[in-house]
Coordinates of all heavy atoms in Angstrom, one line a residue:
L1217 N 113.7 44.0 12.4 CA 113.6 42.8 13.3 C 114.7 41.8 12.9 O 114.9 41.5 11.7 CB 112.2 42.1 13.1 CG 111.8 41.1 14.1 CD1 111.7 41.7 15.5 CD2 110.4 40.5 13.7
K1218 N 115.4 41.4 13.9 CA 116.5 40.4 13.6 C 116.0 39.0 13.8 O 115.0 38.7 14.5 CB 117.6 40.7 14.6 CG 118.3 42.0 14.4 CD 119.4 42.3 15.5 CE 119.9 43.7 15.3 NZ 120.5 44.2 16.4
K1219 N 116.7 38.1 13.1 CA 116.3 36.7 13.1 C 116.2 36.2 14.6 O 115.2 35.5 14.9 CB 117.4 35.9 12.4 CG 117.0 34.5 12.1 CD 118.1 33.8 11.3 CE 117.8 32.4 11.0 NZ 118.7 31.7 10.1
E1220 N 117.1 36.6 15.5 CA 117.0 36.2 16.9 C 115.8 36.7 17.6 O 115.3 36.1 18.6 CB 118.2 36.7 17.6 CG 119.6 36.5 17.0 CD 119.9 37.4 15.9 OE1 120.0 38.7 16.1 OE2 120.2 36.9 14.8
E1221 N 115.2 37.8 17.1 CA 114.0 38.4 17.8 C 112.7 37.7 17.3 O 111.6 38.0 17.9 CB 114.0 39.9 17.5 CG 115.2 40.6 18.0 CD 115.2 42.1 17.6 OE1 114.9 42.3 16.4 OE2 115.5 42.9 18.4
C1222 N 112.7 36.9 16.3 CA 111.5 36.4 15.7 C 111.1 35.1 16.5 O 112.0 34.4 17.0 CB 111.7 36.0 14.3 SG 112.1 37.4 13.2
K1223 N 109.9 34.8 16.5 CA 109.3 33.7 17.2 C 109.1 32.5 16.2 O 108.1 31.9 16.2 CB 108.1 34.0 18.0 CG 108.3 35.0 19.1 CD 107.1 35.3 19.8 CE 107.4 36.3 20.9 NZ 106.3 36.6 21.7
I1224 N 110.1 32.3 15.4 CA 110.0 31.2 14.4 C 111.1 30.2 14.9 O 112.2 30.6 15.3 CB 110.3 31.7 13.0 CG1 109.2 32.6 12.5 CG2 110.6 30.5 12.1 CD1 109.4 33.1 11.1
D1225 N 110.7 28.9 14.8 CA 111.7 27.9 15.1 C 112.6 27.7 13.9 O 112.2 27.1 12.9 CB 110.9 26.6 15.4 CG 111.8 25.4 15.7 OD1 113.1 25.6 15.6 OD2 111.3 24.4 16.1
W1226 N 113.8 28.3 14.0 CA 114.7 28.3 12.8 C 115.3 27.0 12.6 O 116.1 26.8 11.6 CB 115.7 29.4 13.0 CG 115.1 30.7 13.1 CD1 114.9 31.5 14.2 CD2 114.5 31.4 12.0 NE1 114.3 32.7 13.8 CE2 114.0 32.6 12.5 CE3 114.3 31.1 10.6 CZ2 113.3 33.6 11.7 CZ3 113.7 32.1 9.8 CH2 113.2 33.3 10.4
T1227 N 115.0 25.9 13.4 CA 115.4 24.6 13.0 C 114.5 23.9 12.1 O 114.7 22.8 11.7 CB 115.6 23.7 14.3 OG1 114.3 23.6 14.9 CG2 116.5 24.4 15.3
K1228 N 113.4 24.6 11.7 CA 112.5 24.0 10.8 C 113.1 23.9 9.4 O 113.9 24.7 9.0 CB 111.2 24.9 10.6 CG 110.4 25.1 11.9 CD 109.7 23.8 12.2 CE 108.8 24.0 13.4 NZ 108.3 22.7 13.9
S1229 N 112.7 22.9 8.7 CA 113.2 22.6 7.3 C 112.6 23.6 6.3 O 111.5 24.2 6.6 CB 113.0 21.2 6.9 OG 111.6 21.0 6.7
A1230 N 113.2 23.7 5.2 CA 112.6 24.5 4.1 C 111.2 24.0 3.8 O 110.3 24.8 3.5 CB 113.5 24.5 2.9
D1231 N 111.0 22.7 3.8 CA 109.6 22.1 3.6 C 108.6 22.5 4.6 O 107.5 22.8 4.3 CB 109.7 20.6 3.5 CG 110.3 20.1 2.2 OD1 110.5 20.8 1.3 OD2 110.7 18.9 2.2
E1232 N 109.0 22.6 5.9 CA 108.1 23.0 6.9 C 107.8 24.5 6.8 O 106.7 24.9 7.1 CB 108.7 22.7 8.3 CG 108.8 21.2 8.6 CD 109.6 20.9 9.8 OE1 110.7 21.3 9.9 OE2 109.1 20.1 10.6
I1233 N 108.8 25.3 6.4 CA 108.5 26.7 6.3 C 107.6 26.9 5.1 O 106.7 27.7 5.1 CB 109.8 27.5 6.1 CG1 110.6 27.5 7.4 CG2 109.6 28.9 5.6 CD1 112.0 28.0 7.4
Q1234 N 107.8 26.1 4.0 CA 106.9 26.2 2.8 C 105.5 25.8 3.2 O 104.5 26.4 2.7 CB 107.4 25.4 1.7 CG 106.6 25.5 0.4 CD 106.6 26.9 -0.1 OE1 107.7 27.5 -0.3 NE2 105.4 27.5 -0.3
Q1235 N 105.4 24.8 4.1 CA 104.0 24.4 4.5 C 103.3 25.6 5.3 O 102.1 25.8 5.1 CB 104.2 23.2 5.5 CG 102.8 22.7 6.0 CD 102.0 22.1 5.0 OE1 102.4 21.2 4.2 NE2 100.7 22.4 4.9
A1236 N 104.1 26.3 6.1 CA 103.5 27.4 6.8 C 103.0 28.5 5.8 O 102.0 29.1 6.0 CB 104.5 28.0 7.8
I1237 N 103.8 28.8 4.8 CA 103.5 29.7 3.7 C 102.2 29.2 3.0 O 101.2 30.0 2.8 CB 104.6 29.9 2.7 CG1 105.8 30.6 3.4 CG2 104.1 30.6 1.5 CD1 107.1 30.6 2.6
N1238 N 102.2 27.9 2.7 CA 101.0 27.4 2.0 C 99.7 27.5 2.9 O 98.7 27.8 2.4 CB 101.2 25.9 1.6 CG 102.2 25.7 0.5 OD1 102.7 26.7 -0.1 ND2 102.7 24.5 0.3
D1239 N 99.9 27.3 4.2 CA 98.8 27.4 5.1 C 98.1 28.8 5.0 O 96.9 28.9 5.0 CB 99.2 27.1 6.5 CG 99.5 25.6 6.8 OD1 99.2 24.8 5.9 OD2 100.0 25.3 7.9
I1240 N 99.0 29.8 5.0 CA 98.5 31.2 5.0 C 97.7 31.4 3.6 O 96.6 31.9 3.6 CB 99.6 32.2 5.1 CG1 100.2 32.1 6.5 CG2 99.1 33.6 4.8 CD1 101.6 32.9 6.6
C1241 N 98.3 30.9 2.6 CA 97.7 31.1 1.2 C 96.4 30.3 1.1 O 95.4 30.8 0.6 CB 98.6 30.7 0.2 SG 100.1 31.7 0.1
A1242 N 96.4 29.1 1.7 CA 95.2 28.2 1.6 C 94.0 28.9 2.3 O 92.9 28.8 1.9 CB 95.5 26.9 2.2
I1243 N 94.3 29.5 3.5 CA 93.2 30.1 4.2 C 92.5 31.1 3.4 O 91.3 31.3 3.5 CB 93.8 30.8 5.5 CG1 94.2 29.7 6.5 CG2 92.8 31.8 6.1 CD1 95.0 30.2 7.6
H1244 N 93.2 31.7 2.4 CA 92.6 32.8 1.6 C 92.2 32.3 0.2 O 91.9 33.0 -0.7 CB 93.6 34.0 1.5 CG 93.7 34.7 2.8 ND1 92.9 35.6 3.2 CD2 94.6 34.5 3.8 CE1 93.2 36.1 4.4 NE2 94.3 35.4 4.8
G1245 N 92.2 30.9 0.0 CA 91.7 30.4 -1.2 C 92.6 30.2 -2.3 O 92.2 30.0 -3.5
Y1246 N 94.0 30.2 -2.1 CA 94.9 29.9 -3.1 C 94.6 28.6 -3.8 O 94.4 27.6 -3.1 CB 96.3 29.9 -2.6 CG 97.4 29.8 -3.7 CD1 97.8 30.9 -4.5 CD2 97.9 28.5 -4.0 CE1 98.7 30.7 -5.5 CE2 98.8 28.4 -5.0 CZ 99.2 29.5 -5.8 OH 100.1 29.3 -6.8
N1247 N 94.6 28.6 -5.1 CA 94.2 27.4 -5.9 C 95.5 26.6 -6.2 O 96.2 27.0 -7.2 CB 93.4 27.7 -7.1 CG 92.8 26.5 -7.8 OD1 92.9 25.4 -7.3 ND2 92.3 26.7 -8.9
F1248 N 95.9 25.7 -5.4 CA 97.2 25.0 -5.7 C 97.1 24.1 -6.9 O 96.1 23.5 -7.2 CB 97.5 24.1 -4.4 CG 97.7 24.9 -3.2 CD1 96.7 25.1 -2.3 CD2 99.0 25.5 -2.9 CE1 96.9 25.9 -1.1 CE2 99.2 26.2 -1.8 CZ 98.2 26.4 -0.9
T1249 N 98.2 24.1 -7.7 CA 98.2 23.2 -8.9 C 99.0 22.0 -8.7 O 98.9 21.0 -9.4 CB 98.8 24.0 -10.0 OG1 100.1 24.5 -9.7 CG2 97.9 25.2 -10.4
T1250 N 99.9 21.9 -7.7 CA 100.6 20.7 -7.4 C 99.6 19.7 -6.8 O 99.0 20.0 -5.7 CB 101.8 21.0 -6.4 OG1 102.6 22.0 -6.9 CG2 102.6 19.7 -6.1
P1251 N 99.4 18.5 -7.4 CA 98.4 17.6 -7.0 C 98.5 17.2 -5.5 O 97.5 17.2 -4.8 CB 98.6 16.4 -7.9 CG 99.2 16.9 -9.1 CD 100.1 18.1 -8.6
S1252 N 99.7 16.9 -5.0 CA 99.8 16.5 -3.5 C 99.4 17.6 -2.6 O 98.8 17.4 -1.5 CB 101.2 16.0 -3.2 OG 102.2 17.0 -3.5
I1253 N 99.7 18.9 -2.9 CA 99.4 20.0 -2.1 C 97.9 20.2 -2.1 O 97.2 20.4 -1.1 CB 100.2 21.2 -2.5 CG1 101.7 21.0 -2.2 CG2 99.7 22.5 -1.7 CD1 102.6 22.1 -2.7
K1254 N 97.4 20.2 -3.4 CA 95.9 20.4 -3.6 C 95.1 19.3 -2.8 O 94.2 19.6 -2.1 CB 95.6 20.3 -5.0 CG 94.2 20.6 -5.4 CD 94.0 20.7 -6.9 CE 92.8 21.6 -7.2 NZ 93.1 22.5 -8.3
T1255 N 95.5 18.1 -2.9 CA 94.9 17.0 -2.1 C 95.0 17.2 -0.6 O 94.0 17.0 0.1 CB 95.5 15.6 -2.5 OG1 95.3 15.4 -3.9 CG2 94.9 14.5 -1.7
H1256 N 96.1 17.6 -0.2 CA 96.3 17.9 1.3 C 95.2 18.9 1.8 O 94.5 18.6 2.8 CB 97.7 18.4 1.6 CG 97.8 19.0 2.9 ND1 97.9 18.1 4.0 CD2 97.9 20.2 3.4 CE1 98.0 18.9 5.1 NE2 98.0 20.1 4.8
Y1257 N 95.1 20.0 1.1 CA 94.1 21.0 1.5 C 92.7 20.7 1.3 O 91.8 21.1 2.0 CB 94.5 22.4 1.0 CG 95.7 23.0 1.6 CD1 96.9 23.0 1.0 CD2 95.7 23.4 2.9 CE1 98.1 23.4 1.6 CE2 96.8 23.9 3.6 CZ 98.0 23.9 2.9 OH 99.1 24.3 3.6
Q1258 N 92.4 19.9 0.3 CA 91.0 19.5 0.0 C 90.4 18.7 1.1 O 89.2 18.6 1.2 CB 90.9 18.8 -1.3 CG 91.1 19.7 -2.5 CD 91.1 19.0 -3.8 OE1 91.6 17.9 -3.9 NE2 90.7 19.7 -4.9
Q1259 N 91.2 18.1 2.0 CA 90.6 17.4 3.1 C 90.0 18.2 4.2 O 89.3 17.7 5.1 CB 91.7 16.5 3.7 CG 92.8 17.2 4.5 CD 93.8 16.3 5.0 OE1 93.5 15.2 5.6 NE2 95.1 16.7 4.9
F1260 N 90.2 19.5 4.1 CA 89.7 20.5 5.1 C 88.5 21.2 4.6 O 88.5 21.8 3.5 CB 90.8 21.5 5.5 CG 92.1 20.9 6.0 CD1 93.2 20.8 5.3 CD2 92.1 20.3 7.3 CE1 94.4 20.2 5.8 CE2 93.2 19.7 7.8 CZ 94.4 19.7 7.0
S1261 N 87.5 21.2 5.4 CA 86.2 21.9 5.0 C 86.4 23.4 4.8 O 85.7 24.0 4.1 CB 85.1 21.6 6.1 OG 85.5 22.1 7.3
W1262 N 87.4 24.0 5.5 CA 87.6 25.4 5.4 C 88.3 25.8 4.1 O 88.3 27.0 3.8 CB 88.3 26.0 6.6 CG 89.6 25.3 6.9 CD1 89.9 24.3 7.8 CD2 90.9 25.5 6.2 NE1 91.2 23.9 7.8 CE2 91.9 24.6 6.8 CE3 91.3 26.4 5.2 CZ2 93.2 24.6 6.4 CZ3 92.7 26.3 4.8 CH2 93.6 25.5 5.4
Y1263 N 88.9 24.9 3.4 CA 89.6 25.2 2.2 C 88.7 25.4 1.0 O 88.0 24.5 0.6 CB 90.7 24.2 1.9 CG 91.4 24.4 0.6 CD1 92.2 25.6 0.4 CD2 91.4 23.6 -0.5 CE1 92.8 25.9 -0.7 CE2 92.0 23.8 -1.7 CZ 92.8 25.0 -1.8 OH 93.4 25.3 -3.0
K1264 N 88.6 26.6 0.5 CA 87.8 27.0 -0.6 C 88.6 27.7 -1.7 O 88.8 28.9 -1.6 CB 86.6 27.9 -0.2 CG 85.8 27.4 1.0 CD 84.8 26.4 0.6 CE 83.9 26.1 1.8 NZ 83.9 24.8 2.2
P1265 N 89.1 26.9 -2.7 CA 89.9 27.5 -3.7 C 89.1 28.6 -4.4 O 87.9 28.5 -4.6 CB 90.2 26.4 -4.7 CG 89.9 25.1 -3.9 CD 88.9 25.5 -2.9
S1266 N 89.8 29.7 -4.7 CA 89.1 30.8 -5.3 C 89.9 31.4 -6.5 O 91.1 31.6 -6.4 CB 88.9 31.9 -4.2 OG 88.4 33.1 -4.8
S1267 N 89.1 31.8 -7.5 CA 89.8 32.5 -8.6 C 90.1 33.9 -8.3 O 90.8 34.6 -9.0 CB 88.9 32.4 -9.9 OG 87.7 33.0 -9.6
N1268 N 89.6 34.4 -7.1 CA 89.8 35.7 -6.7 C 90.9 35.9 -5.6 O 91.0 36.9 -5.0 CB 88.5 36.3 -6.1 CG 87.4 36.4 -7.1 OD1 87.7 36.8 -8.3 ND2 86.2 36.2 -6.7
Y1269 N 91.7 34.8 -5.5 CA 92.8 34.8 -4.5 C 93.7 36.0 -4.7 O 94.1 36.4 -5.8 CB 93.6 33.6 -4.6 CG 94.9 33.7 -3.8 CD1 94.9 33.4 -2.4 CD2 96.1 34.0 -4.4 CE1 96.1 33.5 -1.7 CE2 97.3 34.2 -3.6 CZ 97.3 33.9 -2.3 OH 98.4 34.0 -1.6
S1270 N 94.0 36.7 -3.6 CA 94.9 37.8 -3.7 C 95.6 38.0 -2.3 O 95.0 37.9 -1.3 CB 94.2 39.1 -4.0 OG 95.0 40.2 -3.9
E1271 N 96.9 38.2 -2.3 CA 97.7 38.4 -1.1 C 97.2 39.7 -0.4 O 97.4 39.9 0.8 CB 99.1 38.5 -1.4 CG 99.7 37.1 -1.8 CD 101.1 37.2 -2.3 OE1 101.8 38.2 -2.1 OE2 101.6 36.2 -2.9
S1272 N 96.5 40.5 -1.1 CA 96.0 41.8 -0.5 C 94.9 41.5 0.5 O 94.6 42.4 1.3 CB 95.5 42.8 -1.6 OG 94.4 42.2 -2.3
S1273 N 94.4 40.3 0.5 CA 93.4 40.0 1.5 C 94.0 39.5 2.9 O 93.3 39.3 3.8 CB 92.4 38.8 1.0 OG 93.2 37.6 0.8
F1274 N 95.3 39.4 2.9 CA 96.0 39.0 4.1 C 95.8 40.1 5.2 O 95.9 41.3 4.8 CB 97.5 38.8 4.0 CG 97.9 37.6 3.1 CD1 99.2 37.4 2.8 CD2 97.0 36.8 2.5 CE1 99.6 36.4 2.1 CE2 97.4 35.7 1.7 CZ 98.7 35.5 1.5
N1275 N 95.6 39.7 6.4 CA 95.6 40.8 7.5 C 97.0 41.1 7.8 O 98.0 40.5 7.2 CB 94.8 40.3 8.7 CG 95.4 39.2 9.4 OD1 96.6 39.0 9.6 ND2 94.6 38.3 10.0
A1276 N 97.3 42.1 8.7 CA 98.6 42.6 9.0 C 99.5 41.5 9.5 O 100.7 41.4 9.1 CB 98.5 43.7 9.9
V1277 N 99.0 40.6 10.3 CA 99.8 39.5 10.9 C 100.2 38.5 9.8 O 101.3 38.1 9.7 CB 99.1 38.9 12.1 CG1 99.9 37.6 12.6 CG2 98.9 39.9 13.2
E1278 N 99.2 38.1 9.0 CA 99.5 37.2 7.9 C 100.5 37.7 7.0 O 101.4 37.0 6.5 CB 98.2 36.8 7.2 CG 97.2 36.0 8.1 CD 95.8 36.0 7.5 OE1 95.4 36.9 6.8 OE2 95.1 35.0 7.7
K1279 N 100.3 39.0 6.6 CA 101.3 39.6 5.7 C 102.7 39.6 6.2 O 103.6 39.3 5.5 CB 100.8 41.1 5.4 CG 101.7 41.8 4.4 CD 101.1 43.2 4.1 CE 102.0 44.1 3.4 NZ 102.5 43.9 2.2
Y1280 N 102.8 40.0 7.5 CA 104.1 40.0 8.1 C 104.7 38.6 8.1 O 105.9 38.4 7.8 CB 104.0 40.5 9.6 CG 105.3 40.5 10.3 CD1 106.3 41.5 10.1 CD2 105.6 39.4 11.1 CE1 107.5 41.4 10.8 CE2 106.8 39.3 11.8 CZ 107.7 40.3 11.6 OH 108.9 40.3 12.3
N1281 N 103.9 37.6 8.6 CA 104.4 36.2 8.7 C 104.8 35.7 7.3 O 105.8 35.0 7.1 CB 103.4 35.3 9.3 CG 103.3 35.6 10.8 OD1 104.2 36.1 11.4 ND2 102.2 35.2 11.4
Y1282 N 103.9 36.0 6.3 CA 104.2 35.5 4.9 C 105.5 36.1 4.4 O 106.3 35.3 3.9 CB 103.0 35.9 4.1 CG 103.1 35.6 2.6 CD1 102.8 34.3 2.2 CD2 103.6 36.5 1.7 CE1 102.9 34.0 0.8 CE2 103.7 36.2 0.3 CZ 103.4 34.9 -0.1 OH 103.5 34.6 -1.4
E1283 N 105.7 37.3 4.6 CA 106.9 38.0 4.1 C 108.1 37.4 4.8 O 109.2 37.2 4.2 CB 106.8 39.5 4.2 CG 105.8 40.0 3.2 CD 105.5 41.5 3.3 OE1 106.1 42.2 4.2 OE2 104.7 42.0 2.5
L1284 N 108.0 37.3 6.1 CA 109.1 36.8 6.9 C 109.5 35.3 6.5 O 110.7 35.0 6.3 CB 108.8 36.8 8.4 CG 109.9 36.4 9.4 CD1 111.1 37.5 9.3 CD2 109.4 36.4 10.8
L1285 N 108.5 34.5 6.4 CA 108.7 33.1 6.0 C 109.3 33.0 4.6 O 110.2 32.2 4.3 CB 107.4 32.3 6.1 CG 106.9 32.1 7.5 CD1 105.4 31.7 7.4 CD2 107.7 31.0 8.2
Q1286 N 108.9 33.9 3.7 CA 109.4 33.9 2.3 C 110.9 34.2 2.4 O 111.7 33.6 1.6 CB 108.7 35.0 1.5 CG 107.3 34.7 1.1 CD 107.2 33.8 -0.1 OE1 108.2 33.1 -0.6 NE2 106.0 33.7 -0.7
K1287 N 111.3 35.1 3.3 CA 112.7 35.5 3.4 C 113.6 34.4 3.9 O 114.7 34.3 3.5 CB 112.7 36.7 4.3 CG 114.1 37.4 4.4 CD 114.0 38.6 5.3 CE 115.3 39.2 5.5 NZ 115.3 40.4 6.4
Y1288 N 113.0 33.6 4.8 CA 113.9 32.6 5.4 C 113.7 31.1 5.0 O 114.2 30.2 5.6 CB 113.7 32.7 7.0 CG 114.4 33.9 7.5 CD1 113.6 35.0 7.9 CD2 115.7 34.0 7.6 CE1 114.2 36.2 8.3 CE2 116.3 35.2 8.0 CZ 115.6 36.3 8.4 OH 116.1 37.4 8.9
R1289 N 112.9 30.9 3.9 CA 112.7 29.5 3.5 C 113.9 29.1 2.7 O 114.8 29.7 2.3 CB 111.5 29.4 2.7 CG 111.5 30.0 1.4 CD 110.2 29.6 0.6 NE 110.1 30.6 -0.5 CZ 109.2 30.5 -1.4 NH1 108.3 29.6 -1.3 NH2 109.2 31.3 -2.4

């Protein structure tokens, strides 16, 4: 897949791309250690930090998006 074929707004800043990565991780219970990020996610009832966090719990779409975002941040 080429960058032009992706449905990502490539005008997004590195911070916005990192936010999207964090969102994927947060959904699966990543326990953030950066206070501002942790505080951000703690405001959502769906955020449940877990000691069992694993990227292996990502579904196929999340895995694809995570890897793509990692590549272009």
Side-chain angles (χ1 to χ4, degrees):
L1217 195 62
K1218 295 180 184 157
K1219 189 174 180 179
E1220 310 77 59
E1221 298 172 315
C1222 299
K1223 294 182 179 181
I1224 291 178
D1225 180 355
W1226 296 107
T1227 63
K1228 297 289 186 194
S1229 70
D1231 287 343
E1232 290 170 310
I1233 292 173
Q1234 185 61 54
Q1235 179 71 46
I1237 292 168
N1238 290 351
D1239 288 348
I1240 294 168
C1241 296
I1243 289 166
H1244 293 276
Y1246 184 82
N1247 191 7
F1248 295 97
T1249 57
T1250 304
S1252 60
I1253 297 172
K1254 186 174 209 135
T1255 298
H1256 170 74
Y1257 287 106
Q1258 286 176 329
Q1259 70 180 318
F1260 302 107
S1261 62
W1262 54 261
Y1263 177 60
K1264 308 281 189 241
S1266 173
S1267 59
N1268 295 324
Y1269 168 82
S1270 172
E1271 292 170 14
S1272 65
S1273 66
F1274 293 178
N1275 67 36
V1277 172
E1278 292 166 332
K1279 181 177 168 59
Y1280 176 83
N1281 289 338
Y1282 178 82
E1283 290 174 357
L1284 184 67
L1285 289 162
Q1286 290 276 16
K1287 185 176 179 182
Y1288 287 105
R1289 71 174 163 175

